[in-house]
Amino acid sequence: MEANLPKRKETRKSMRIKVISMGNAEAGKSCIIKRYCEKRFVPKYLATIGIDYGVTKVQVRDREIKVNIFDMAGHPFFYEVRNEFYKDTQGVILVYDVGQKESFEALDTWLAEMKQELGPHGNIENIVFVVCANKIDCTKHRCVDESEGRLWAESRGFLYFETSAQTGEGINEMFQTFYSAIIDLCDNGGKRPAMGMSIGFTKEQADTIRRIRGSKDSWDMLGVKPGATRDEVNKAYRKLAVLLHPDKCVAPGSEDAFKAVVNARTALLKNIK
Ligand code: GTP
Ligand code: MG
């Protein structure tokens, strides 16, 4: 009698989920999935044609989950094949290559494609997203740093992991956390637990860090017009310092942004009488 108990418990706690992969061609979506499911890496690029589908069973905490993985082709050519697979998804693995800036910049386009296909009633808020900053083994070619990727992900309430399908770094941890978050979502009645509350920084802070990163000179960085007075520079500086001071701001990249603002102010004040 007792021997049957765990089995019954397991059945009660088993569940089925649908997960999709998204991101530019060659970002490493298929390799990440292969690394996790088959524990191997294929260096040769074999483009996914349309969709690859697989089923895998995983144990997460006290749950057995049956995962239906739809690995999407990133090439624009396959848009029409991809678009019908977005619906009824609980989790999205969003991948970019840390050595390919375009693949990072394309993340917004991928989200937009998904939103468009889900339509006005599709609730993207109730899907768990994990962003994989992939190919971190290629250190020489890296052009998107951790804080930039993390900021993009966390400011949207998405999980963020640094991964390498080649070495396996970050892969198991990423999948475990991802599946765990999906279980939490299902237990929470299909609603993503309020991560916005726990990320610890505001949209204004995230947007300001992004603006500072993209600024073209010190005037632009402080948000003042070229030729601004000492007073105007100091006022702008104080506003940014309050927003980004490392004691107050935990947003990824805030420390570098704060330093850049300090340097910009020093450089400007040197030349203003
Ligand atoms: P599509 O199916 O065309 O959308 O591409 P994909 O995103 O599935 O890319 P795929 O997984 O096929 O990998 C593309 C290329 O990048 C292959 O040559 C892989 O061997 C290589 N690759 C994938 N992940 C890594 C990684 O972490 N490190 C390195 N060095 N190469 C990787
Ligand atoms: Mg692929």
Side-chain angles (χ1 to χ4, degrees):
M1 191 64 183
E2 237 172 57
N4 283 336
L5 273 179
K7 215 173 183 179
R8 252 192 275 146
K9 202 174 166 190
E10 199 176 282
T11 313
R12 189 172 59 81
K13 292 198 167 176
S14 68
M15 59 197 282
R16 182 192 288 259
I17 59 170
K18 176 181 169 183
V19 161
I20 62 172
S21 69
M22 277 168 28
N24 276 11
E26 283 194 63
K29 301 177 292 298
S30 303
C31 285
I32 286 175
I33 294 167
K34 202 167 258 138
R35 165 60 76 187
Y36 183 68
C37 297
E38 299 173 22
K39 312 273 175 271
R40 65 192 181 101
F41 174 70
V42 185
K44 189 168 180 275
Y45 175 43
L46 298 163
T48 303
I49 307 297
I51 299 275
D52 266 348
Y53 169 70
V55 187
T56 174
K57 265 189 191 167
V58 290
Q59 184 78 29
V60 183
R61 305 199 305 247
D62 60 343
R63 298 287 178 92
E64 184 178 271
I65 343 181
K66 200 168 177 187
V67 188
N68 293 296
I69 304 185
F70 293 80
D71 177 25
M72 296 202 181
H75 198 283
F77 180 78
F78 296 110
Y79 166 67
E80 297 215 336
V81 184
R82 275 196 307 266
N83 62 12
E84 60 195 84
F85 289 93
Y86 283 117
K87 57 183 181 299
D88 304 324
T89 296
Q90 279 86 39
V92 176
I93 306 168
L94 197 49
V95 182
Y96 70 91
D97 173 348
V98 295
Q100 288 283 336
K101 190 89 177 169
E102 315 86 83
S103 70
F104 174 64
E105 287 166 352
L107 296 181
D108 283 312
T109 315
W110 283 101
L111 278 187
E113 180 175 307
M114 182 170 195
K115 274 185 194 160
Q116 187 186 319
E117 292 315 316
L118 291 179
H121 302 298
N123 200 348
I124 211 155
E125 296 306 311
N126 296 335
I127 296 172
V128 174
F129 283 84
V130 62
V131 175
C132 294
N134 194 40
K135 306 198 189 181
I136 55 163
D137 55 286
C138 301
T139 45
K140 271 194 193 150
H141 303 288
R142 184 158 188 167
C143 59
V144 185
D145 68 25
E146 180 176 350
S147 62
E148 197 174 357
R150 193 176 277 285
L151 184 69
W152 189 91
E154 293 183 355
S155 60
R156 286 166 176 78
F158 298 171
L159 300 164
Y160 172 87
F161 280 86
E162 301 246 303
T163 59
S164 167
Q166 190 198 60
T167 65
E169 196 178 338
I171 303 286
N172 284 343
E173 200 191 349
M174 179 276 287
F175 273 102
Q176 284 294 313
T177 311
F178 179 52
Y179 290 146
S180 215
I182 294 175
I183 293 175
D184 289 344
L185 172 120
C186 295
D187 288 350
N188 199 35
K191 288 205 171 74
R192 193 160 63 193
M195 289 172 77
M197 301 295 286
S198 62
I199 58 174
F201 57 89
T202 63
K203 183 172 182 306
E204 187 188 8
Q205 287 171 326
D207 290 346
T208 305
I209 294 169
R210 255 183 238 120
R211 192 189 61 70
I212 286 169
R213 279 174 173 277
S215 56
K216 55 181 193 297
D217 55 30
S218 299
W219 303 109
D220 191 29
M221 186 175 288
L222 289 186
V224 293
K225 289 202 184 95
T229 63
R230 289 184 84 85
D231 257 10
E232 284 166 335
V233 168
N234 279 326
K235 207 170 150 196
Y237 164 78
R238 273 196 297 275
K239 201 172 156 213
L240 289 171
V242 167
L243 196 66
L244 300 175
H245 195 282
D247 287 350
K248 297 202 181 79
C249 181
V250 296
S254 58
E255 219 172 300
D256 286 346
F258 180 73
K259 277 186 208 153
V261 165
V262 172
N263 292 340
R265 176 204 186 209
T266 311
L268 291 181
L269 289 185
K270 257 190 210 162
N271 298 313
I272 302 175
K273 287 192 186 131

